[in-house]
C-alpha cells in the first residue's frame, strides 16, 4: 500500500462521517425521499454503524416497500448486527420480489 492509499484510508472514515451529516440534513428537509435514506444507510453500513443503517433502510422501505435492493441491504445490516432471523426474512423478501435472484444464487452455488 503506497502513501496515497494510506492517506485515503486514514481520511475515508472522516469523509464518510461528514457525508452522513450532509445526508441527515437533507433527510430532515425531505423525509419522504427513499433514495436519500438508502444512501445514508449505505454510508452508515460502510462505517460499521449497523443500527443507523437498519433505521434508514427501514425508513426507505416504509416509503418503497417493494424495493428489493433495500430489503437486501437491510438483510446485510441485520446480519452485521447478528440478527440472522431478521436477515433471512429480508433475503426471502428479495426472492419473493425478484424470483430470478433465487435462480442466480442457485446457479452460482453450483460453480
Amino acid at each position: 500500500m503506497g502513501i496515497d492509499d494510506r492517506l485515503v484510508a486514514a481520511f475515508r472514515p472522516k469523509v464518510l462521517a461528514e457525508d452522513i451529516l450532509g445526508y441527515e440534513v437533507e433527510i430532515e428537509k425531505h423525509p419522504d425521499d427513499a433514495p436519500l435514506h438508502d444512501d445514508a444507510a449505505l454510508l452508515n453500513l460502510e462505517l460499521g454503524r449497523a443500527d443507523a443503517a437498519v433505521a434508514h433502510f427501514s425508513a426507505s422501505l416504509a416509503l418503497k416497500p417493494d424495493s428489493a435492493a433495500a430489503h437486501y441491504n437491510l438483510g446485510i445490516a441485520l446480519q452485521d448486527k447478528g440478527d440472522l432471523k431478521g436477515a433471512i426474512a429480508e433475503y426471502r423478501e428479495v426472492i419473493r420480489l425478484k424470483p430470478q435472484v433465487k435462480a442466480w444464487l442457485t446457479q452460482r452455488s453450483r460453480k
Side-chain angles (χ1 to χ4, degrees):
M1 183 182 279
I3 192 160
D4 290 340
D5 294 333
R6 288 192 300 257
L7 285 172
V8 168
F11 286 104
R12 185 158 176 74
K14 184 176 192 254
V15 170
L16 291 176
E18 290 172 359
D19 287 346
I20 289 170
L21 290 175
Y23 275 104
E24 295 297 341
V25 168
E26 288 302 309
I27 288 169
E28 282 184 32
K29 294 177 191 173
H30 311 284
D32 294 337
D33 190 328
L36 278 176
H37 285 286
D38 289 331
D39 291 344
L42 289 169
L43 287 172
N44 277 292
L45 198 56
E46 190 167 337
L47 283 172
R49 299 174 180 175
D51 288 334
V54 167
H56 281 293
F57 284 130
S58 296
S60 174
L61 285 166
L63 298 166
K64 293 183 86 179
D66 291 341
S67 171
H71 281 288
Y72 177 78
N73 288 321
L74 177 56
I76 291 171
L78 290 169
Q79 192 170 344
D80 284 357
K81 287 182 53 166
D83 181 358
L84 297 182
K85 279 186 174 183
I88 289 168
E90 293 304 321
Y91 298 145
R92 285 187 174 144
E93 185 63 9
V94 172
I95 291 169
R96 186 189 72 76
L97 292 168
K98 300 279 187 184
Q100 63 272 30
V101 170
K102 184 176 182 179
W104 179 80
L105 290 171
T106 302
Q107 187 177 34
R108 289 199 43 98
S109 68
R110 292 183 183 157
K111 291 182 179 183

